[in-house]
Amino acid sequence: MDKKELLKKIGILFANFILVYFLFRFLITLSERLQMIWIYYVTVIIYALGITGLFIAFFILNGFGFSRAERTREELPEKWTEEQKDDFMAKQPERKKKARFLVLFILPLILTFFVSYIELHFLI
């Protein structure tokens, strides 16, 4: 990965964090000002479901693991047919690329919850 591509990914991560965090803070502030606690609960539930859904999608697309390394034919289940193994091996690079793309959205969501937790328990 060259420097330009790395800087682009860091920029996307930072921009996603800013968008996700400020939308989260806006909705929390809105629930406080309108005195409607349900807005806060719905916001937290939607963000948590978003993290969960994206994490599950990442896990599945990444080959049911967290490794960056691609699986070999020997690691695939023995009960699979050769056709299934060929199909898996052919689609593996594309799925791993999609999984790495999802990280650009998962990390900002997790960081938003982490910062919110710090604010709630240590700063307020």
Side-chain angles (χ1 to χ4, degrees):
M1 181 180 329
D2 61 344
K3 278 188 172 184
K4 190 173 186 177
E5 188 177 328
L6 180 63
L7 287 174
K8 181 180 175 184
K9 286 187 178 184
I10 291 171
I12 291 171
L13 268 172
F14 184 72
N16 283 345
F17 170 71
I18 295 297
L19 289 172
V20 167
Y21 180 75
F22 283 109
L23 178 62
F24 187 76
R25 290 303 305 161
F26 170 76
L27 292 170
I28 289 173
T29 303
L30 183 68
S31 75
E32 290 173 354
R33 292 217 174 134
L34 297 177
Q35 296 182 354
M36 297 178 163
I37 194 71
W38 65 269
I39 296 173
Y40 172 77
Y41 291 133
V42 169
T43 300
V44 170
I45 289 170
I46 288 172
Y47 270 65
L49 289 174
I51 290 172
T52 304
L54 287 171
F55 182 78
I56 290 170
F58 169 82
F59 192 72
I60 291 170
L61 287 171
N62 205 43
F64 297 97
F66 299 106
S67 174
R68 291 184 72 146
E70 293 188 1
R71 290 186 176 213
T72 62
R73 291 183 76 77
E74 293 79 33
E75 295 174 328
L76 299 177
E78 291 180 15
K79 63 182 177 180
W80 282 11
T81 65
E82 289 301 315
E83 184 178 298
Q84 287 174 313
K85 289 180 181 181
D86 290 339
D87 186 45
F88 180 86
M89 295 303 288
K91 291 181 181 178
Q92 182 172 273
E94 182 182 333
R95 284 195 319 269
K96 287 226 179 240
K97 187 176 181 181
K98 288 178 185 178
R100 284 191 302 270
F101 180 73
L102 289 179
V103 171
L104 297 175
F105 298 96
I106 295 170
L107 288 178
L109 285 168
I110 291 172
L111 188 58
T112 296
F113 267 119
F114 181 70
V115 170
S116 179
Y117 177 82
I118 297 294
E119 287 176 339
L120 284 173
H121 292 284
F122 299 111
L123 299 178
I124 296 178

